[in-house]
Amino acid sequence: MRGHGRFLADLRAAGVLYATLVRSPLAHARVVGFDASAARSDPRCALVLGPDDLAERTAPIPTAWRLPGQPEDRIPIAAHTARYAGQPLGIVVADTPTAAEDLAEAVRLDLDPLPPAATLADALAEHAPPIVPGAAGNEAGSIRFGSPEEDVAAAFARAELVVEREFTLPRVNHSPLEPRGVLAEYDPGTGLLTVHAGSQSPHSMRQDLCAVLGMRADRVRVIAPDIGGSFGSKVSLYPDEAMVCAAAVALGAAVRWVESRAENFNGAYQGRGQRTTARLAVGHEGRFLAFDAHILADLGAYATQAGSGPHQVTALTLQGPYHVDAAAATVTGVYTTRVPTGAYRGYGMQEAAFIRERLIEEAARELDVPAVELRLRNLIRPEELPHTTYTGLTYDSGDYGAALRRAAALAERPPPSDPPWVRRGTAVVAAVEITAFAPSALLETYGIAWSGWEGARLRINHDGTVTAYSGVIAVGQGIETSLAQIAAEGLGVPLDWVRVELGDTDTAPHSDLSAQASRALTLAGGALLIAARRLADRMRTLAAGFLGTDPDRVTQQIGSRADPSSPDAAFHGTDGARITWREVAHRGYRGWGNRKDTDRIRLEEAVDFDPPRLTFAHGAHAAEVTVDVGTGRVTVTGYWAVHDSGVLVNPLIAHGQIAGGIAQGLGQALSEEARADAEGVPVTRSFREYTVPAAQDVPEDLVIEHTCTPSTAIPGGFKGLGEGGTLLPPAAVTCAVAAAVPEIAHTLTSLPLTPSRVRAALRAAGIT
Ligand code: SMO
């Protein structure tokens, strides 16, 4: 950590102006007036755009992935009705950040309050206020995945035990270290809009910006600088970001906006937000017969780019790593007057794991069999792969039992003697993870309006150094290093000779989904590996020509030094003849040598890679917890994770990714909940009210191990792991609490397990 990163607020721009958003303080209101006359007459003011001005300059954001029956209702930049507290209604631009804040406060909003519907229950109530004008109610359509109704009914009819629960998974904030931000510069001379943005997906942002601003794609360039975390919160264009760009165009100047932490709490989209009724049917000898679920998804005030996507993934992945005779789930989207929800690391799979593993743990308790034993009995075995689930996912490779047995073995330790007010319990849970989200044709079948392929552009420079371009971006996940490793290993050059350039729509290969859905390393890395192997072949062929021998008689020595002028990296022919990598590059650039491929003189490859199918990572987590029955406080005293992400490129980064994911998952298990009052106004607006895990909340001796079943779909055998760590902590911790205090196990269906919630359950059970 050297402090040399360049984040949005670090970027320099000549004559930059500063923006502040004017946001609705109410959850639901008609905007009757937006009086900016005081602000506009202030000499520090450069520009104010209210709803009417924005209506002239912008179109709504195009949405994607709608549910069947979901009304056409796009997110406006110009809002004449506020549908959530914190919704941006206008923008003020001034010569300093302080002036912009002062002048934004001077804008007089005249709001005509409408009744809020802050919760799923409120939004679905009989006389609920309509949130989407013209829609029949606040339901936003439904979709069902899985087995035919009669198969599910038959499986439940055969059951010896049915476990049914209602699960509540609250909204959470992503809490990236760096909030959102945009630096937009418009050059009236060239008509070019250059946007630096904390975006997970610069190409999609450009596409949406073009639609919103009515601009040509060749006139809009989006660049993602270093980004301090995102976790799904920066995947789509936001209205406030679009307003900053519209202001830059209007002014013909550079405008910067850096989101405050308070804004991030109520203006950035949230994650999760689901109420689900789910059942598990268990047959003879504890065989799982069927899962089914009905998911109510809290979409918030608008359907975002992801919209109901995460909840659909919950439905798609409910079955997890287990055999069943039938499985089905229905998702119903519901509008509420709260900030929209969207993608969050784990993308519906954490929710699915929580629901499934809780049902299994409850079944084990009711059957009085060890839960690990029940899981092992029902896991899909390695020799049964590939296996297609009832929702049409084809698991490619893995050994689910090996991971579960290993996690269980790691967690086995003699219990210490606890004081009488402490209960201790352990649980082991499992999940399969969709990774490498592609191929494009599969996305098309799900009605997703993006492509899944990734490109790579790889160039050997005249001095033998290497430049790699990719459309994925860096959000702190170390992807530059992992991609450099893939290129270096594929070419046979030292790592330090490779520079990786990411996230610039002018230079990067096209990428719609970019760094989302545990896909950057697998797909961009897969493309890069293909490009590197091709270039390595061309270098060898060139070298053979210079050495006067056949390519297959040439051996390549990898330089050991971090110095591109080092003579170590060389091709050896027969009879001791040799030529350095650098010299081959140098001559190659000049078109020297006996070259048959004169149409390809440049030492550059561009590869597009659309994999044949999804690839599935998997894992098992074990948690040991103590429950203080006096205070209700849950402490995680041990945590063991076994992951399989195929071939690991950089084990240290893999460890960090899984560890970070576990920490984030523990937060959702124990403390995180984005709450609003009855009027729908957020009450968690800072880290005082919204508790993310601190160092002392994560076990110091966190154990992370890896097993390896290579992907059969991705060159290199890589599988994704960006989200894997977050999938299981809520399930593991909650099941461990259930094991510690079986008297309250049946009530453990809602997160987070705060002391007050646990104590209420303990009290209801007569324990405290
Ligand atoms: S939740 Mo992610 O950025 O796929």
Side-chain angles (χ1 to χ4, degrees):
M1 199 115 48
R2 296 204 185 97
H4 294 164
R6 278 159 58 83
F7 298 87
L8 211 281
D10 301 318
L11 302 177
R12 281 182 215 114
V16 66
L17 299 165
Y18 297 87
T20 295
L21 281 306
V22 177
R23 296 181 184 277
S24 172
L26 300 178
H28 203 192
R30 250 187 305 277
V31 183
V32 182
F34 183 100
D35 178 1
S37 48
R40 282 194 176 110
S41 63
D42 191 295
R44 299 170 298 169
C45 181
L47 179 74
V48 181
L49 298 175
D52 293 339
D53 313 303
L54 289 161
E56 283 170 25
R57 296 170 179 276
T58 64
I61 296 170
T63 54
W65 213 358
R66 272 166 44 199
L67 288 164
Q70 189 169 327
E72 172 75 41
D73 173 55
R74 302 197 292 155
I75 301 176
I77 315 303
H80 289 90
T81 300
R83 295 201 211 158
Y84 62 95
Q87 180 167 356
L89 302 175
I91 184 169
V92 177
V93 182
D95 53 5
T96 68
T98 320
E101 278 171 40
D102 288 352
L103 298 178
E105 274 174 34
V107 171
R108 288 218 315 272
L109 280 179
D110 188 0
L111 299 179
D112 182 9
L114 295 166
T119 63
L120 288 169
D122 291 348
L124 294 173
E126 203 176 332
H127 299 293
I131 298 167
V132 177
N138 292 322
E139 276 197 21
S142 283
I143 192 165
R144 182 180 183 282
F145 297 100
S147 316
E149 303 270 9
E150 54 271 26
D151 293 6
V152 178
F156 276 93
R158 281 203 305 284
E160 292 180 10
L161 170 72
V162 173
V163 182
E164 178 171 346
R165 298 283 184 275
E166 187 180 89
F167 298 94
T168 305
L169 295 159
R171 286 164 165 260
V172 289
N173 288 101
H174 301 69
S175 309
L177 201 56
E178 183 196 25
R180 297 177 299 134
V182 172
L183 170 62
E185 299 177 74
Y186 185 71
D187 181 338
T190 57
L192 292 183
L193 175 67
T194 304
V195 180
H196 286 83
S199 168
Q200 253 174 285
S201 186
H203 280 94
S204 322
M205 184 173 187
R206 180 178 66 164
Q207 205 167 305
D208 285 353
L209 268 180
C210 287
V212 163
L213 300 175
M215 288 183 72
R216 288 162 44 164
D218 63 335
R219 299 271 163 83
V220 180
R221 177 184 186 188
V222 178
I223 304 166
D226 284 330
I227 295 175
S230 172
F231 313 112
S233 69
K234 300 170 184 172
V235 297
S236 52
L237 176 71
Y238 283 84
D240 39 25
E241 296 171 326
M243 286 183 199
V244 178
C245 296
V249 173
L251 286 163
V255 179
R256 179 172 9 228
W257 167 65
V258 176
E259 188 183 46
S260 70
R261 181 60 65 184
E263 281 180 292
N264 187 262
F265 268 104
N266 64 10
Y269 299 155
Q270 296 176 335
R272 321 290 186 224
Q274 184 183 106
R275 197 176 76 208
T276 298
T277 306
R279 297 187 297 168
L280 165 63
V282 186
H284 190 54
E285 292 183 329
R287 297 283 165 201
F288 299 163
L289 300 179
F291 287 103
D292 79 347
H294 187 222
I295 298 163
L296 287 178
D298 178 356
L299 303 181
Y302 298 92
T304 61
Q305 181 203 64
S308 58
H311 308 279
Q312 296 191 46
V313 171
T314 301
L316 287 168
T317 59
L318 188 61
Q319 184 182 338
Y322 304 102
H323 272 295
V324 279
D325 293 344
T330 303
V331 181
T332 300
V334 181
Y335 290 106
T336 58
T337 54
R338 289 193 67 186
V339 67
T341 56
Y344 185 16
R345 192 178 191 180
Y347 205 92
M349 295 182 280
Q350 184 197 65
E351 296 89 316
F354 182 78
I355 293 162
R356 176 185 65 245
E357 298 298 317
R358 287 298 300 122
L359 288 173
I360 293 171
E361 197 80 11
E362 287 297 277
R365 196 171 54 80
E366 294 194 21
L367 294 168
D368 199 22
V369 297
V372 168
E373 163 58 29
L374 186 64
R375 288 186 171 89
L376 284 172
R377 215 181 288 174
N378 288 283
L379 282 177
I380 297 164
R381 291 186 300 278
E383 63 272 19
E384 294 168 332
L385 298 177
H387 174 95
T388 300
T389 69
Y390 291 94
T391 50
L393 302 175
T394 301
Y395 299 158
D396 51 341
S397 62
D399 189 341
Y400 310 145
L404 191 84
R405 280 189 297 271
R406 181 64 188 151
L410 286 169
E412 222 162 77
R413 59 182 187 186
S417 63
D418 290 316
W421 61 86
V422 167
R423 300 274 205 98
R424 189 176 290 264
T426 303
V428 193
V429 296
V432 178
E433 182 195 358
I434 300 173
T435 74
F437 196 51
S440 303
L442 178 77
L443 271 55
E444 193 184 355
T445 65
Y446 284 123
I448 300 169
W450 297 287
S451 59
W453 60 274
E454 283 294 326
R457 208 147 60 74
L458 186 63
R459 185 173 70 219
I460 298 173
N461 300 301
H462 67 88
D463 62 351
T465 58
V466 178
T467 315
Y469 296 90
S470 166
V472 303
I473 55 98
V475 280
Q477 82 281 47
I479 190 73
E480 303 100 320
T481 305
S482 302
L483 291 181
Q485 280 184 259
I486 290 170
E489 283 173 33
L491 289 168
V493 299
L495 176 63
D496 287 26
W497 296 21
V498 182
R499 185 170 74 95
V500 173
E501 262 306 299
L502 302 175
D504 180 342
T505 54
D506 265 14
T507 58
H510 180 82
S511 170
D512 274 347
L513 289 165
S514 188
Q516 304 179 43
S518 301
R519 65 193 295 288
L521 180 124
T522 49
L523 300 170
L528 198 54
L529 186 57
I530 296 169
R533 286 174 179 164
R534 282 188 197 161
L535 264 186
D537 277 351
R538 289 183 62 203
M539 287 292 281
R540 173 184 301 271
T541 305
L542 276 176
F546 297 133
L547 292 167
T549 186
D550 292 335
D552 54 11
R553 305 192 65 180
V554 169
T555 55
Q556 187 182 353
Q557 186 189 345
I558 296 172
S560 56
R561 305 253 305 272
D563 171 12
S565 63
S566 143
D568 302 351
F571 294 96
H572 295 260
T574 46
D575 317 326
R578 68 193 286 281
I579 184 168
T580 63
W581 169 275
R582 183 186 170 86
E583 184 63 19
V584 175
H586 176 77
R587 293 192 196 181
Y589 258 86
R590 270 143 194 82
W592 294 352
N594 181 17
R595 309 262 311 250
K596 296 190 184 67
D597 57 344
T598 48
D599 58 326
R600 309 180 70 210
I601 293 173
R602 271 186 304 168
L603 290 172
E604 184 164 327
E605 287 285 345
V607 168
D608 296 330
F609 173 57
D610 209 3
R613 54 193 170 274
L614 287 165
T615 195
F616 291 82
H618 67 91
H621 286 200
E624 184 199 76
V625 304
T626 57
V627 180
D628 181 321
V629 296
T631 64
R633 186 179 161 82
V634 175
T635 305
V636 181
T637 50
Y639 205 92
W640 303 267
V642 180
H643 273 261
D644 193 322
S645 289
V647 175
L648 299 182
V649 173
N650 186 316
L652 186 64
I653 286 177
H655 182 94
Q657 284 271 36
I658 302 287
I662 290 170
Q664 219 164 18
L666 290 177
Q668 286 154 52
L670 294 174
S671 60
E672 294 187 39
E673 178 171 10
R675 286 178 287 117
D677 63 19
E679 301 298 306
V681 177
V683 295
T684 42
R685 304 170 77 130
S686 78
F687 289 124
R688 280 190 299 276
E689 304 92 27
Y690 187 90
T691 320
V692 293
Q696 73 264 19
D697 300 315
V698 182
E700 226 170 287
D701 50 358
L702 188 63
V703 176
I704 298 167
E705 289 190 3
H706 295 274
T707 56
C708 177
T709 49
S711 167
T712 55
I714 304 293
F718 318 134
K719 296 180 175 181
L721 57 69
E723 297 166 281
T726 50
L727 258 54
L728 286 168
V733 167
T734 309
C735 288
V737 172
V741 197
E743 303 96 311
I744 64 167
H746 64 285
T747 71
L748 298 172
T749 52
S750 298
L751 294 177
L753 297 180
T754 56
S756 61
R757 183 169 281 154
V758 173
R759 204 170 46 193
L762 291 165
R763 206 172 281 148
I767 295 173
T768 191

